[in-house]
Amino acid sequence: MLLVHGRSQGGKDAVKLKSEWLTALKFGLELKGLTLPSDATVDFPFYGDRLDEFVRQFDLPADPAIIPKGSPAFEEFAAFRRDVAVDLQAKAGIPDIAVQAEYRGGTTEKGVENWEWVQAIIRLLDRNITGISQTTIEVFLRDVFLYTRRHAVSSAIDAIVRDMFAENTAVVVGHSLGSVVAYNVLRAAEHKVPFYVSVGSPLAIRAIRKSLSPICNPTGAGGWHNIYDNRDVVALYPLDKNNFDVEPSIKNYGSVQNNTSNRHGIVGYLNDANTAEIIHAAFR
């Protein structure tokens, strides 16, 4: 089994992180009277520090308001940030009239091209989504942008994960940004992994999906299982025909009640009994 973590893991202990994942998974399995096979091998590729290095190297602040216009990355990052923010706004059910009231630039039409309009969306998300802060959203947008739009970043991170991907890998579990990384590695692999489980995945966000075009289902007989909590702002939508149209279709399970503060944490996904049972099925 290969476990692929998400963002904001830089500076942490990879051994402890792996233990946290497995402890949560064990809890979920026990709810179903299950255990992992005694001979199961679990790998945990760690790219958190490498991603932080790229953040420093590209010197791309999470807030594009402080990037001088004319910067090569400014227009591209601003457009990406705008596209994702509008998706998040729609998912959260925040009407344009509320954004207009929050907007600090005076009367305007729906100004998604305007940085202040996008910033107003993010402030509203901060106030209306449990456990999601403005800083969390902005850093998420920056890190995902770097991975999906900068080849040097994705190549280096993919290589770290690919080095632990083996022919006998039975299941890959990817969380958050890690679900995007795992997907990228799987679709480029010479052989298909039987089972892929994405949890809290942002792959349905149009700006992210577009950067991965053409999309596909890179799994074997066990298929792709996507797991999410519908209160998780990062996992915007199910990976279904409307949002990630691939053949064979992806199996979605959206009834997780993630008990972490932001509804997105990995522990709150893996300690769910049905999530654990889906992962366990890969070993059968």
Side-chain angles (χ1 to χ4, degrees):
M1 179 163 60
L2 192 69
L3 307 177
V4 187
H5 68 80
R7 51 158 306 277
S8 290
Q9 303 302 299
K12 297 184 179 179
D13 186 321
V15 175
K16 289 183 179 179
L17 288 174
K18 177 180 175 181
S19 178
E20 289 174 5
W21 280 56
L22 293 178
T23 298
L25 179 58
K26 180 182 178 182
F27 180 91
L29 289 170
E30 288 176 348
L31 294 176
K32 290 285 188 176
L34 300 170
T35 60
L36 288 179
S38 58
D39 60 345
T41 299
V42 181
D43 287 321
F44 190 85
F46 181 71
Y47 65 84
D49 292 340
R50 191 72 180 98
L51 179 58
D52 282 358
E53 289 175 12
F54 278 119
V55 169
R56 291 189 291 270
Q57 176 183 328
F58 279 90
D59 193 24
L60 186 65
D63 182 352
I66 60 178
I67 304 172
K69 289 202 173 187
S71 162
F74 178 83
E75 296 298 336
E76 188 180 355
F77 179 42
F80 176 86
R81 189 173 182 271
R82 175 200 67 216
D83 291 346
V84 177
V86 170
D87 263 2
L88 296 177
Q89 175 195 352
K91 172 65 174 179
I94 298 172
D96 286 345
I97 192 170
V99 181
Q100 178 66 69
E102 179 70 23
Y103 176 67
R104 295 175 178 172
T107 303
T108 182
E109 297 177 357
K110 181 180 177 181
V112 293
E113 301 296 333
N114 187 308
W115 172 84
E116 275 288 358
W117 179 276
V118 175
Q119 196 67 12
I121 294 173
I122 293 175
R123 288 196 301 271
L124 287 170
L125 290 167
D126 182 6
R127 291 205 297 270
N128 289 281
I129 304 297
T130 301
I132 296 293
S133 69
Q134 181 172 337
T135 300
T136 298
I137 295 169
E138 289 174 336
V139 173
F140 167 77
L141 293 176
R142 179 197 62 198
D143 291 358
V144 174
F145 170 80
L146 286 175
Y147 177 79
T148 58
R149 301 300 176 89
R150 292 296 179 266
H151 181 70
V153 179
S154 59
S155 293
I157 291 174
D158 289 356
I160 292 171
V161 175
R162 189 169 55 246
D163 284 348
M164 289 190 176
F165 183 67
E167 290 187 9
N168 66 343
T169 299
V171 57
V172 174
V173 181
H175 173 240
S176 191
L177 175 59
S179 71
V180 183
V181 176
Y183 168 72
N184 228 14
V185 170
L186 290 176
R187 68 176 183 162
E190 294 182 0
H191 59 280
K192 292 186 175 182
V193 67
F195 253 73
Y196 175 40
V197 181
S198 54
V199 295
S201 177
L203 279 164
I205 295 175
R206 285 171 293 177
I208 295 174
R209 185 181 67 225
K210 183 171 65 174
S211 70
L212 300 170
S213 182
I215 58 175
C216 66
N217 185 337
T219 60
W224 181 345
H225 299 255
N226 181 57
I227 296 168
Y228 64 99
D229 181 328
N230 60 19
R231 302 166 300 171
D232 179 353
V233 71
V234 172
L236 272 181
Y237 304 105
L239 300 181
D240 56 13
K241 291 288 185 183
N242 293 325
N243 300 293
F244 211 88
D245 189 11
V246 295
E247 290 293 341
S249 60
I250 300 163
K251 303 174 183 69
N252 285 277
Y253 167 57
S255 298
V256 174
Q257 296 293 300
N258 191 310
N259 55 13
T260 59
S261 61
N262 61 6
R263 317 297 188 193
H264 181 64
I266 185 59
V267 170
Y269 278 116
L270 294 181
N271 65 16
D272 174 82
N274 291 321
T275 299
E277 186 175 37
I278 289 169
I279 294 171
H280 185 270
F283 293 96
R284 297 199 297 267

